Amino acid sequence: SSNMIGTTIDLKQIEDLPIGGRDITQLSFQAPGYNGTWNGLPSIAQGNNIDGVVGSPSRMKFTGNAAPVVSARLEDIAEMTVQTDGLDLDQGFGQAAMQINFITRRGTNDYHGRLYEDFRNRDLNANSWSNNGQGISRGPFILNDFGGSVGGHIIKDKLFFFASFSMSKQPGTISATNGVFTSTAQSGNFTYTGTDGVTHTVNVLSLAHNVNSALPSTINPVIAGELTAINSSLGSGAVTPSNNPNINYLNWLQPAPTTNYYPTFRVDDNATDKLRLHIAFNETKGPIQPAQAAAFLPGSAAANEIAGNKFNQYTASLGIEWTPTTALVNQFRGGFLYNAQWYAYNAAPLYLTSVGTVNWG
């Protein structure tokens, strides 16, 4: 018996509902007593596990660890429980007073499988008001979440397997804007409104050369090369005037795809009637975002200025259950939580994109 207070989520019912996304972690919010936290517990008291392995790193728990770093996917999870009070001694890991537990699906003597695809497309969406105002067409939007799973026996009544693989691909774009000189300003002609209220244009190169003949009267070749590169990118966006007669706005959409991979497998071995073993692996490889922010300019002129982020998380677990008598159960659980983050993983070195500036610790 147990004095644990909790809720078991009926995943069979959930599979029949049209839910947004396939991560079932937020279903824990439906547990009785939830109002931002559970039963008034501080958020730092939250915890979770997947197959008995801690699902979140223990540091930086300012807002709690209700969600595991590995996505608990609908197609992979067989059981989900939310324990909100009176945890058993094998729960919490000394870090939490409430616990969300996930158990990976396992194979049976019968073979079962599934294929699925969740699809969204930009043709179902209107363009944004700001894009219309800037003359930018509706950006590509395709959210394609697809995959499959299979489970069954390797040796009937003894050795079983379950495996799944799914992906989530979303092209996505970032709306970007930068100021560029007008063609007249690029040749050195500066336009301004004088104190007389009249618009004037003066060639600043000639003006400087007349003051000091040692100063050049033509565009510096380094600057000329940069202006040429900027001009080559204008065709990749929409140019609109600004309230400054010397500067136009260049508006464009920066491709920013996001990809996730979700492999899972589990093997269960009924070694004897009293000894059972399992190994399980759940991974969320992503999000992989090769463009987290837009480059300074569209096209090839500033392609090496794009930087992206990528993440990878997985849990690996080993379980041994020995039942020597009907009244005695011994369990051993071991596992590993991997949580890695790479920022600007594909960025060019700073000395290439910021000429003349080198920083080091």
Side-chain angles (χ1 to χ4, degrees):
S1 63
S2 170
N3 64 346
M4 181 271 293
I5 300 174
T7 302
T8 298
I9 307 296
D10 189 340
L11 294 183
K12 180 58 180 175
Q13 292 182 359
I14 300 303
E15 288 181 336
D16 296 333
L17 294 175
I19 62 175
R22 304 186 67 84
D23 191 319
I24 61 175
T25 302
Q26 292 188 349
L27 296 176
S28 61
F29 299 161
Q30 307 302 315
Y34 177 80
N35 61 352
T37 64
W38 284 265
N39 299 337
L41 290 170
S43 59
I44 199 172
Q46 300 167 175
N48 65 83
N49 71 84
I50 298 179
D51 294 320
V53 178
V54 175
S56 298
S58 60
R59 70 188 184 115
M60 303 302 182
K61 291 181 63 177
F62 310 126
T63 58
N65 279 337
V69 294
V70 175
S71 179
R73 305 274 291 181
L74 180 61
E75 66 271 15
D76 298 333
I77 302 300
E79 182 180 337
M80 173 182 175
T81 61
V82 183
Q83 300 185 12
T84 56
D85 198 6
L87 298 188
D88 293 334
L89 293 177
D90 63 346
Q91 299 294 328
F93 307 103
Q95 300 179 1
M98 71 82 59
Q99 191 79 186
I100 304 176
N101 311 298
F102 301 95
I103 302 296
T104 305
R105 293 181 187 269
R106 61 189 73 188
T108 65
N109 277 331
D110 298 320
Y111 291 101
H112 296 278
R114 74 174 70 191
L115 294 173
Y116 70 88
E117 180 175 12
D118 297 335
F119 180 73
R120 279 187 268 171
N121 191 286
R122 77 169 184 176
D123 292 335
L124 303 175
N125 299 334
N127 200 10
S128 68
W129 183 89
S130 59
N131 280 0
N132 283 332
Q134 296 174 359
I136 301 176
S137 62
R138 181 174 41 186
F141 181 84
I142 303 174
L143 178 58
N144 199 8
D145 195 343
F146 59 95
S149 63
V150 64
H153 70 271
I154 302 173
I155 302 176
K156 201 164 187 178
D157 296 325
K158 179 174 175 58
L159 190 61
F160 311 92
F161 78 95
F162 171 83
S164 76
F165 180 80
S166 58
M167 294 176 60
S168 174
K169 296 181 68 68
Q170 183 175 350
T173 55
I174 300 172
S175 297
T177 300
N178 206 346
V180 295
F181 282 133
T182 63
S183 58
T184 55
Q186 290 185 33
S187 61
N189 294 313
F190 179 75
T191 301
Y192 66 98
T193 301
T195 55
D196 54 3
V198 178
T199 299
H200 302 272
T201 299
V202 60
N203 189 285
V204 294
L205 297 170
S206 299
L207 188 65
H209 184 72
N210 292 337
V211 173
N212 184 349
S213 60
L215 295 175
S217 59
T218 58
I219 297 291
N220 181 296
V222 174
I223 300 301
E226 292 184 354
L227 293 175
T228 299
I230 291 172
N231 291 336
S232 69
S233 68
L234 299 182
S236 300
V239 179
T240 57
S242 71
N243 56 5
N244 185 330
N246 304 290
I247 295 176
N248 289 330
Y249 286 132
L250 176 62
N251 308 295
W252 74 96
L253 293 176
Q254 169 71 55
T258 300
T259 305
N260 292 278
Y261 302 93
Y262 306 101
T264 291
F265 73 84
R266 177 178 174 125
V267 175
D268 289 85
D269 181 18
N270 295 342
T272 69
D273 290 340
K274 298 182 178 181
L275 181 64
R276 299 184 178 187
L277 305 91
H278 84 262
I279 57 173
F281 177 85
N282 289 267
E283 182 178 22
T284 296
K285 190 173 184 179
I288 301 172
Q289 303 162 308
Q292 181 64 19
F296 293 127
L297 294 166
S300 60
N304 67 340
E305 294 166 355
I306 300 174
N309 304 332
K310 67 178 181 178
F311 307 85
N312 191 21
Q313 303 84 204
Y314 68 79
T315 60
S317 68
L318 166 68
I320 302 173
E321 184 176 298
W322 178 43
T323 311
T325 70
T326 57
L328 182 62
V329 176
N330 294 279
Q331 285 187 331
F332 171 83
R333 295 289 177 89
F336 184 75
L337 169 64
Y338 181 76
N339 182 30
Q341 306 169 2
W342 294 268
Y343 295 97
Y345 73 96
N346 56 348
L350 186 63
Y351 63 81
L352 293 181
T353 58
S354 298
V355 177
T357 301
V358 177
N359 300 298
W360 61 88

